Amino acid sequence: MQLTHTTDSSPRSRVDLHMHSTFSDGSLPVDELVARVAAAGVEVMALTDHDNTAGVALAAKEAQRHGLRLIPGVEISSVWEEQGIHIVGLAMDIEHPALQRGLERIVQLRDQRALEIAERLQQQGIAGAWDGARAIAGSPLVGRAHFAQWLVQAGHCKDSQDAFQRYLGRGKPAYVPSDWIPMAEAVGWIRAAGGEAVLAHPGRYKLSGARLKRLLEDFRAVGGAGLEVCSGSQAAADREHLGRLAIRLGMAGSVGSDFHGPKLGHAEIGQLLPLPDGVETIWDRLGVPVAVPFPTH
Ligand code: AMP
Ligand code: MN
Ligand code: MN
Ligand code: MN
């Protein structure tokens, strides 16, 4: 498979613990995603679809075929002090009832939200969004990214960015919050299922230094193990201070591209800078050996 986004000079990681498939808002089916992970030279991956683990069993099978290690994952939509946050769960028993009951609740809430988003678009003179977004999603999980893709396809917006800026982003006419599950509950499901919780892309929340530190302290207090120090969906410049925070708070660092698909403007699989020196790795905490996580060339 041709990889158009990675070049020999771009940073490569052999660990990538955050990515999406068609089981949420990624554009690649699980088998193609795992093939791409293998082609990118990644050896340890986690599939972290939004609010469901339906793709994990197939991903494990495909990973085995390619000689990769698959860590079961999920990215849970959550909230802390009215701030929407995402929590990555890693290495859970995905059949655990507390986890599955919780995720089912979120998928139901997402369904209701999708209807509300469609109604709001209708009020903006845009008809057919519900059927359109559901057809694009092709699975029970309908998210804003699917609405964005439909808005582009139907000629209402020029690209997904434009759709978020004009309709779907926070404070825009079709915005309906998706942050229904308190942080402590989401972390609780992950821990009950034997996994570890990682705060996803902390740099994306645009919090002040003091508030970010408080979020991390609260996250740790409810059982959170670590944070994404290196993420394809936050600025590379965030890595240094997030690394320092991880060390100071005794939290582990994770790395994840947040890959959604080849054409969706996100980072490529494995395209990640190394964790700063001194940061404990989440894979050590999980007891997963990685000989050379960040090869130099
Ligand atoms: P949801 O979980 O349904 O609220 O949708 C959030 C998802 O929408 C994120 O995981 C991204 O995949 C996508 N997204 C969020 N903001 C943007 C944006 N500004 N441009 C494109 N995609 C975005
Ligand atoms: Mn997404
Ligand atoms: Mn996210
Ligand atoms: Mn994500």
Side-chain angles (χ1 to χ4, degrees):
M1 176 177 299
Q2 181 93 37
L3 287 178
T4 49
H5 288 62
T6 20
T7 65
D8 280 348
S9 59
S10 55
R12 291 276 179 90
S13 170
R14 287 193 179 142
V15 184
D16 190 334
L17 302 181
H18 187 152
M19 65 188 78
H20 299 270
S21 75
T22 47
F23 281 100
S24 66
D25 54 7
S27 67
L28 296 185
V30 167
D31 58 343
E32 286 179 36
L33 179 73
V34 177
R36 198 173 177 97
V37 172
V42 168
E43 293 166 5
V44 180
M45 68 172 289
L47 176 67
T48 55
D49 276 311
H50 294 288
D51 305 318
N52 84 95
T53 57
V56 169
L58 179 58
K61 214 169 96 191
E62 291 296 310
Q64 195 177 24
R65 226 158 52 79
H66 288 278
L68 304 177
R69 177 138 187 173
L70 186 280
I71 296 177
V74 67
E75 181 177 19
I76 303 183
S77 311
S78 183
V79 62
W80 171 80
E81 292 189 352
E82 285 163 29
Q83 169 68 50
I85 58 168
H86 285 172
I87 299 171
V88 166
L90 295 173
M92 309 85 44
D93 163 14
I94 57 162
E95 283 170 14
H96 194 280
L99 177 68
Q100 286 307 332
R101 270 200 309 268
L103 295 179
E104 275 159 28
R105 230 171 86 206
I106 303 188
V107 173
Q108 277 169 16
L109 290 164
R110 273 185 169 277
D111 249 14
Q112 289 165 23
R113 183 189 66 153
L115 274 171
E116 271 182 68
I117 291 175
E119 270 168 32
R120 290 184 189 210
L121 286 170
Q122 178 91 51
Q123 284 160 16
Q124 299 295 310
I126 296 177
W130 168 237
D131 287 334
R134 261 196 326 173
I136 288 175
S139 79
L141 189 127
V142 183
R144 284 184 292 162
H146 301 122
F147 279 100
Q149 283 165 50
W150 178 78
L151 282 165
V152 176
Q153 238 178 51
H156 298 290
C157 296
K158 76 174 187 332
D159 53 28
S160 282
Q161 200 61 33
D162 184 39
F164 273 88
Q165 257 159 27
R166 279 166 54 204
Y167 297 108
L168 302 165
R170 201 181 180 88
K172 305 299 173 179
Y175 178 71
V176 183
S178 57
D179 43 11
W180 321 275
I181 300 298
M183 177 172 84
E185 255 186 86
V187 173
W189 305 337
I190 294 166
R191 305 268 299 162
E196 295 289 1
V198 166
L199 184 69
H201 42 62
R204 274 252 301 266
Y205 310 133
K206 306 289 172 219
L207 305 177
S208 70
R211 197 159 145 77
L212 174 61
K213 184 157 168 282
R214 225 157 41 72
L215 164 58
L216 287 168
E217 283 167 349
D218 284 2
F219 185 64
R220 189 185 55 180
V222 299
L227 59 139
E228 285 182 344
V229 171
C230 307
S231 162
S233 67
Q234 75 195 1
D238 288 332
R239 165 177 164 268
E240 293 292 334
H241 82 270
L242 290 174
R244 280 195 298 274
L245 268 172
I247 292 170
R248 220 162 101 201
L249 298 173
M251 298 176 81
S254 189
V255 302
S257 60
D258 207 358
F259 179 76
H260 278 69
K263 292 192 209 106
L264 299 178
H266 294 261
E268 186 48 77
I269 295 161
Q271 205 172 44
L272 288 154
L273 290 164
L275 281 172
D277 285 345
V279 177
E280 182 198 350
T281 68
I282 191 73
W283 47 98
D284 270 358
R285 259 216 212 173
L286 295 170
V288 174
V290 189
V292 186
F294 309 107
T296 46
H297 34 242

